[in-house]
Amino acid sequence: MLRFLLLLSGIFICSEATAQVPFSKELWLNESNIPVQVNDIVYGTKGYIWVGTNNGLYRFNGRSFTLITDSIQQPVTAIASISGQTYAGYKNGKIGIVSGNRVQIFPISHYTPSSTITSIHGDGNILFITTEEEGLFVVVNGAGLQFTTHEGLSDNFVYDAAITPHHIIISTDRGINRISLKNGKPVTDIYTTAQGLPDNIVRVITAIPGTKKYWLGTQESGLVLFDDEKRTVQNVKLAHQWAWGQINDILVTKADEAWVATETGYLLQVHLFQDSIDVVPFGFSEQKITKLTQDRANNLWCATNQGLIQSTALYAKKVVLPPPYQLNNVTAVRFDRSNNLWFSQDNKLYCLSLTPNAVPQLMAKTEAAISCLEFDANNHLWIGSFGTGLYSYSNKKLSRVATIASLKEGHILSIAAVGDRLWIASLNGVEETVQNPQTGTLRLLRHHNKQSGIGSDYVYQLFPDSKGRMWMATDGAGVCMYDGASYHHWDNNTGFQSKVVYTISEDANGNIWAGSLNHGVFALRNNRWQHFEKKDGLQEKNIYALKGNATGEMIVVNEDGIDEWYPSSQQFRHYNRRSGMDIDSVLKVPNCIAKDTDGRVFVPFEKGFVVLENQAQKVNINAAVHINAVSLFFKPLEERRHHFNSEENHLSFRFNGINFTNPERLQYRYKLDNNDTNWVYTIDENVSFAQLSPGNYTFMVQASLSNNFDHAATDSYSFTIAKPVWQQVWFVVFVLLAFIAAAYSYIRLRERELRKMSQLQKERMSFEYEHLKSQVNPHFLFNSLNTLVNLIEEDKQLASDYTVHLSDLYRNMLSYKDQNLIPLSEEYKILLSYMHIQQSRFGNALHLVTDIPEHLFQTTQIVPLALQLLVENAIKHNVVSVSKPLTIHITATEDEITVRNCVRPKMSKEKSAGIGIVNIQRRYALLTDRPTEFGIEDGQYVVKLPLLKTQLEKPLKKH
């Protein structure tokens, strides 16, 4: 079984001694966990890590390795990411370039290498290729130039190269060669042991940013500096003889810091001083380390002869403590002014120097469990206990504080030293005290509690900020701030949602942070609290400790582990057992966290302390995302297309989230513009769109480590689906022109016939219309006389009145007989006269109910006698009696008038010509296109007639 490079108990330092070593995890390149020789590793194109192995080229996204298809079938010995392209060099001298999911041979004309490629460099226009036996190749516009010993090189075995705008420096088996142009011809300056090199075999050359100096890694003599400006070799001083073997790679992270990989398996942190270096060996492994790379999240990657190792050396380490250290017994932790780490286990007080080989020293024991520690400006240690009050520790002497009665047997929760003031929080509020500079005794100045303005007597933490204000984390009153004169509180209106707060801290930008019970984390900005919970990337909402480091990151301790907030990424990095690091659990004691004098944060965990480093350079832990496959009808496209015909309308996309921080938390959302209105959230990495309509589309996908996508990376793919032929402009124009030509011919042929028929149609229409109108008079007269005969027999006075109204009615009928339309008001008068006549006959057995808006009487028109005829038909065809009265309803809207009555057919029908309703339909048909409606609805006979405006809606129809 492979051993972890930096974690195992076999670390070369004595197990009884402490050292700061990184966390790391080993990664297999295949599912069967078979070792694979890794020859080169590069963090590059699209955010992937590219791995060159004896089995070929792999692409790694943080969760899985993808073997890139190639036809070269040789070990990959060198990789380079140049101008967004990934190049691979092979053992047989071939050069490949990645295109999609394949490696294509990069064509080189003229001079081409045929021996093992050792490194590839370039700027997109020119490639510099070093080889094992054939020197240096320079490829310009696809044409290769070769430089060997014939052109002045010291040796044809070239390991590495450094490129500057004006010259090239290469490392060989015989020193380094500086190649420049003079009068258009290459000139080579050679540096070997004769010029100060301790070893002629130089395997690595790496530029130091911001300078004109280079690190040189040799086979036997370790590290050397080359000053390109002075053209000199500088042998740096080392406290001990180089003992770590052949250097295989050098990764420069700062101008004065580099990481070195060795053949014997050492990973070395090197600090550069003016004329010397300090080497810190972090571990030892049976695996040899071949190459190093660094991703944008500051992970350090080690390529080995068996696979990959991911290391946290650049941002997190651990201090492993021997027994009797136990995580469950740790109760408090703090740094003194000399950067020594003090911590307590129950009632025992320990001090740990962070120097190599140091071990914790037992310093004192208290009568009760220690609850908190605090150093004042004089480096005097104050100790709070749970049950025996306050202690003072100075000059290796421990003593109980007896001058303040309220603290003698108190339960101390927090202590804060500010100048000559010492603030002490207990279960009974907060004591503000001052120290006598001569005697060192404490004197009580004032007592702060619930009544004075804190809002609660239970204060878990006292935190003095950079502005001299005292912040209090309370149980019941949330966050309270005392500015020396008054107390300040925040409620839901300011975004603060928790009454129980365990911990408070301040970040490097002056923002106050608060950790709550079951409500996550809050950050105060412009007097409003920003809330962070699970949807924002927190592992858990129950927060035990907060501490800001010197470079702006905020460390959050919760039930599941440690979250570190990166302001540059607006995301949390997670440390827990699921991340594959050696963290099983962290301490769940409120405020058990400390910051050293350099601003690094220390958190207790089961094996000692996690050390969260300051991040001097910008770190991006956000996920990247890449659309790596587009399929048409589920068949991958060999080449990216952006134009499809109308039948090619089923597209699928495969995308990859890329993250090396917490890849297990990746989430996605996607949207197809012109198809989707909203984002679609998913954890899947495939999506399909079927039956897409013609148009322009853009597929967008984002990846995030939480539900918050405000700062998420986006990849997109735009494409067009063409319209079918019959929707193309040229086709529409052609059809339109053909139609116009056909229509013109038809019109000319029909024109003569239409003229002949026009006069005949007019005459026929006039005759038919007059005939329809004439049908009204005899029909109405027949019904009226028939009614009159019946009335004369029954009631002569009623018959007389009936005759008068009948005369008026008939007079009106004669007045409108020649008109096509009359105002609704006039038609209504005719109806009322008719109803008077009928009600004279039927009495209370006949009712008329109308609901007609007043303005319609003057603004609308109707066919003459239509309403009278409909009411007459209702009376004629239905039972009208006192026991079964007939009610006729007439309602009107802007567009139509409706007549309805219950259907109660007579046993014997009256004689009828049967032309009334048909007559109304035909008369309306000649006046408007709007229909008339007749029929039975829910047991009622309903007639709907159009109401026409004061002018005809269309001319009379032609027949």
Side-chain angles (χ1 to χ4, degrees), residues 388-405:
T388 56
L390 183 68
Y391 291 83
S392 168
Y393 183 85
S394 181
N395 298 320
K396 299 184 178 181
K397 181 180 179 182
L398 179 71
S399 58
R400 287 183 66 182
V401 176
T403 55
I404 300 177

Side-chain angles (χ1 to χ4, degrees), residues 439-450:
T439 64
T441 58
L442 295 180
R443 176 173 59 87
L444 181 64
L445 287 181
R446 61 180 61 86
H447 180 64
H448 304 265
N449 59 10
K450 182 177 182 178

Side-chain angles (χ1 to χ4, degrees), residues 385-516:
S385 72
F386 212 73
T388 56
L390 183 68
Y391 291 83
S392 168
Y393 183 85
S394 181
N395 298 320
K396 299 184 178 181
K397 181 180 179 182
L398 179 71
S399 58
R400 287 183 66 182
V401 176
T403 55
I404 300 177
S406 60
L407 300 178
K408 284 184 179 180
E409 304 297 330
H411 295 75
I412 310 300
L413 300 179
S414 180
I415 306 172
V418 183
D420 62 347
R421 305 289 175 92
L422 193 69
W423 297 67
I424 303 122
S426 68
L427 297 180
N428 298 311
V430 177
E431 311 291 359
E432 181 183 358
T433 68
V434 63
Q435 186 177 10
N436 187 310
Q438 283 77 34
T439 64
T441 58
L442 295 180
R443 176 173 59 87
L444 181 64
L445 287 181
R446 61 180 61 86
H447 180 64
H448 304 265
N449 59 10
K450 182 177 182 178
Q451 287 70 31
S452 67
I454 295 178
S456 173
D457 287 336
Y458 298 93
V459 177
Y460 290 114
Q461 185 190 9
L462 297 165
F463 179 79
D465 68 10
S466 58
K467 297 179 181 178
R469 303 172 297 183
M470 183 61 68
W471 295 79
M472 306 175 193
T474 77
D475 187 336
V479 172
C480 176
M481 186 269 286
Y482 181 66
D483 60 9
S486 58
Y487 302 92
H488 301 267
H489 296 270
W490 288 264
D491 55 21
N492 287 341
N493 294 326
T494 62
F496 203 87
Q497 304 170 11
S498 180
K499 294 295 184 182
V500 180
V501 177
Y502 284 150
T503 178
I504 298 176
S505 187
E506 183 179 15
D507 64 25
N509 299 313
N511 301 307
I512 297 297
W513 293 65
S516 69

Side-chain angles (χ1 to χ4, degrees), residues 20 22-23 253-254 257 259 269 294-300 311-317 508-509 547-555 563-569 571-573 575 595-596 598-601 610-621 661:
Q20 296 180 47
F23 296 94
T253 53
K254 302 176 186 176
E257 180 185 80
W259 296 80
Q269 185 180 19
Q294 173 189 4
D295 64 32
R296 67 178 186 175
N298 253 9
N299 292 296
L300 182 63
S311 171
T312 67
L314 300 175
Y315 58 87
K317 299 184 180 71
N509 299 313
K547 189 69 69 175
N549 68 6
T551 52
E553 289 74 37
M554 180 61 63
I555 286 77
D563 294 331
E564 183 174 7
W565 172 257
Y566 282 80
S568 58
S569 302
Q571 284 283 3
F572 289 96
R573 189 199 295 267
Y575 305 86
K595 181 164 62 176
D596 70 5
D598 294 325
R600 302 182 303 166
V601 175
V610 179
V611 184
L612 287 312
E613 300 281 353
N614 297 317
Q615 301 297 297
Q617 60 186 12
K618 187 175 181 180
V619 177
N620 188 346
I621 66 169
T661 302

Side-chain angles (χ1 to χ4, degrees), residues 57-252:
L57 181 66
Y58 288 84
R59 184 181 65 205
F60 183 49
N61 62 10
R63 288 161 295 139
S64 60
F65 292 90
T66 301
L67 181 61
I68 306 300
T69 304
D70 70 35
S71 59
I72 302 174
Q73 300 294 311
Q74 286 280 313
V76 176
T77 54
I79 315 173
S81 181
I82 302 171
S83 300
Q85 296 289 338
T86 300
Y87 295 85
Y90 290 81
K91 188 174 181 64
N92 63 355
K94 297 291 185 183
I95 301 293
I97 184 169
V98 177
S99 177
N101 293 318
R102 291 180 171 273
V103 178
Q104 298 179 348
I105 294 179
F106 182 73
I108 302 175
S109 61
H110 301 301
Y111 297 95
T112 59
S114 57
S115 62
T116 301
I117 307 297
T118 53
S119 72
I120 306 172
H121 307 270
D123 58 6
N125 298 316
I126 304 176
L127 287 184
F128 300 89
I129 302 167
T130 62
T131 68
E132 278 192 358
E133 300 174 356
E134 298 175 309
L136 171 70
F137 287 81
V138 180
V139 181
V140 182
N141 295 326
L145 302 173
Q146 185 178 12
F147 292 84
T148 65
T149 52
H150 294 291
E151 286 72 36
L153 297 188
S154 61
D155 195 272
N156 286 334
F157 202 117
V158 182
Y159 293 101
D160 200 2
I163 313 301
T164 77
H166 306 292
H167 56 270
I168 311 165
I169 305 174
I170 61 173
S171 60
T172 76
D173 261 351
R174 294 189 64 189
I176 61 172
N177 295 189
R178 186 181 188 275
I179 307 170
S180 59
L181 291 177
K182 188 173 183 180
N183 298 323
K185 296 183 179 180
V187 175
T188 302
D189 297 322
I190 298 174
Y191 299 82
T192 63
T193 52
Q195 285 73 37
L197 276 178
D199 185 353
N200 274 337
I201 302 177
V202 181
R203 301 181 59 86
V204 185
I205 178 168
T206 305
I208 300 176
T211 72
K212 293 186 177 180
K213 294 182 179 181
Y214 296 84
W215 284 110
L216 305 180
T218 67
Q219 180 162 297
E220 296 179 355
S221 302
L223 288 168
V224 184
L225 277 176
F226 176 69
D227 191 325
D228 188 42
E229 187 173 32
K230 297 178 180 180
R231 309 282 185 88
T232 58
V233 174
Q234 179 183 351
N235 286 299
V236 289
K237 297 178 181 178
L238 187 62
H240 305 283
Q241 185 177 0
W242 185 264
W244 299 284
Q246 170 184 301
I247 293 176
N248 288 336
D249 201 11
I250 303 171
L251 175 68
V252 177

